[in-house]
Amino acid sequence: MPSVTVATLLTLSTLCGSAVVSRALQPPRNVRITSHNMDLVLRWDPPEGAASGLFYTTEYNTSVSVYKVGCLHITALSCDFTSLNHHITVYGQYTARVRAELGEEKSAWVESTQITMDRDTMIGQPNVSLISSKSNIEVSIEDPEFRISELRHAYNYATYNITYWKEGQEEKAESISNIQQNRVILDKLEPWTRYCVRVQINTQRNLNPSEPSSVTCESTDSEESPWVAAVVTFVVMAMLVTLAVVAVVHRKKMSHFLCPKDSLPQHFKKHLLEHPSSSIYLAMRDSHPPEEVYDQVSVIAEGNPMEEERPLEAAGTNCSSQPETTVGQI
């Protein structure tokens, strides 16, 4: 009996000692599961007074399944389950847990609260661009990019809330709600005024609105744009005045240029004014036109045997009765 008691005590001592060592490794703190633009990330803080060389292992499950392995033996303080090629769904409900590891020692698991993706994910800010057209401003909205699916597929009914104000007067801002189109025109704005715009996304299933977009500003123009006509008129008048001044200052030079007074050289005048003495010119001047030579031509019409041998006189024949007879001149 004494030997059995000693052996039993030694065994219990060994088991208790190992249990004490295991309890000495503190678990992670502030464990939370988050979702931003439809990702699924578990985050935590290291144990209080954590030793160097600490590792972490994570797991996650849905409301209808057991825990599945997530990140193994990592040193980071977060685990992105959507980057592990796991099947994360838009409408799923998820819980995750994490434990600390140091060599052979492992801490207890610390479990997060449950998250429902489409209801609890934080929708990021939309991208907004503005285009000014006279006294109107067109607001163009681009949805944030989701890690899984798209905003319009995840939420059948998503609307925009547009807030706009004159720059420096945000306390007097105006809003337009329940806009489904991603292009909206703000009309009837004051001309020559700078307006600023901010947009948020609202859905029916997610009670939290999206992050507000960055404030974007743009200036309106005049409806008639009178400055364009004024600038054109000023430029034309300035050019006309400049040309008039140049014409007055340099009128003598311009006159000499347009109406030169230079005369031909004297030997050119002499040859031009003298009577031509060329023999060829004189022969052409005194010659008579060549005499034209004519021959009599007789044409006999075909198909009339009575008149086949009677010639026609070129000068005295009446050709009106015979349309096929012609008189040629050589």
Side-chain angles (χ1 to χ4, degrees), residues 273-327:
L273 296 177
E274 288 180 353
H275 293 289
S277 57
S278 173
S279 58
I280 298 176
Y281 171 76
L282 295 177
M284 292 177 62
R285 186 187 64 181
D286 297 335
S287 64
H288 297 286
E291 181 179 357
E292 295 183 356
V293 180
Y294 298 89
D295 293 330
Q296 180 176 331
V297 177
S298 298
V299 180
I300 300 175
E302 295 181 358
N304 191 351
M306 301 297 296
E307 298 180 357
E308 288 182 357
E309 298 181 357
R310 187 176 64 182
L312 296 178
E313 298 294 334
T317 302
N318 186 1
C319 298
S320 60
S321 61
Q322 299 181 4
E324 296 183 358
T325 302
T326 59
V327 178

Side-chain angles (χ1 to χ4, degrees), residues 53-307:
L54 202 61
F55 291 88
Y56 303 94
T57 294
T58 64
E59 295 179 344
Y60 77 98
N61 74 346
T62 65
S63 58
V64 294
S65 67
V66 298
Y67 273 101
K68 300 177 182 179
V69 176
C71 301
L72 289 174
H73 312 302
I74 61 173
T75 58
L77 298 178
S78 64
C79 175
D80 186 356
F81 297 112
T82 47
S83 65
L84 299 178
N85 296 324
H86 291 180
H87 186 61
I88 306 298
T89 63
V90 172
Y91 309 109
Q93 295 179 335
Y94 297 96
T95 304
R97 64 185 184 179
V98 60
R99 72 182 179 189
E101 299 173 349
L102 183 61
E104 297 297 327
E105 300 181 65
K106 296 178 177 59
S107 73
W109 289 102
V110 180
E111 192 174 68
S112 71
T113 57
Q114 189 179 72
I115 187 174
T116 302
M117 295 290 285
D118 62 324
R119 286 172 42 192
D120 299 325
T121 189
M122 175 58 70
I123 302 174
Q125 62 180 17
N127 295 321
V128 177
S129 59
L130 305 179
I131 300 177
S132 176
S133 176
K134 297 182 180 179
S135 60
N136 302 329
I137 292 180
E138 179 181 328
V139 182
S140 179
I141 308 170
E142 183 180 353
D143 294 334
E145 184 177 353
F146 278 6
R147 292 287 300 276
I148 57 174
S149 185
E150 296 179 359
L151 184 137
R152 295 290 169 175
H153 292 164
Y155 302 101
N156 296 328
Y157 186 78
T159 61
Y160 302 111
N161 182 36
I162 302 175
T163 305
Y164 64 97
W165 63 90
K166 295 180 184 178
E167 190 175 39
Q169 300 182 18
E170 188 173 357
E171 68 279 1
K172 299 180 181 179
E174 300 182 37
S175 296
I176 304 176
S177 302
N178 299 324
I179 303 297
Q180 292 185 291
Q181 297 80 11
N182 61 356
R183 290 182 180 271
V184 180
I185 294 180
L186 304 178
D187 56 359
K188 298 180 181 179
L189 303 178
E190 294 184 12
W192 307 104
T193 304
R194 188 170 178 82
Y195 284 87
C196 297
V197 177
R198 183 174 56 231
V199 178
Q200 276 187 295
I201 303 174
N202 294 301
T203 65
Q204 288 183 335
R205 291 200 304 273
N206 194 324
L207 301 181
N208 300 316
S210 73
E211 297 175 353
S213 69
S214 300
V215 176
T216 308
C217 301
E218 184 60 75
S219 298
T220 58
D221 201 349
S222 175
E223 187 70 28
E224 300 297 334
S225 297
W227 63 271
V228 176
V231 170
V232 173
T233 303
F234 175 78
V235 171
V236 172
M237 292 298 296
M239 293 177 62
L240 293 176
V241 171
T242 302
L243 291 175
V245 172
V246 171
V248 171
V249 174
H250 301 284
R251 61 182 182 278
K252 292 185 178 180
K253 293 181 179 180
M254 295 178 63
S255 177
H256 291 165
F257 176 76
L258 297 175
C259 303
K261 296 181 179 180
D262 295 337
S263 58
L264 293 172
Q266 293 298 325
H267 63 280
F268 278 8
K269 290 183 178 181
K270 179 179 179 181
H271 289 291
L272 290 175
L273 296 177
E274 288 180 353
H275 293 289
S277 57
S278 173
S279 58
I280 298 176
Y281 171 76
L282 295 177
M284 292 177 62
R285 186 187 64 181
D286 297 335
S287 64
H288 297 286
E291 181 179 357
E292 295 183 356
V293 180
Y294 298 89
D295 293 330
Q296 180 176 331
V297 177
S298 298
V299 180
I300 300 175
E302 295 181 358
N304 191 351
M306 301 297 296
E307 298 180 357

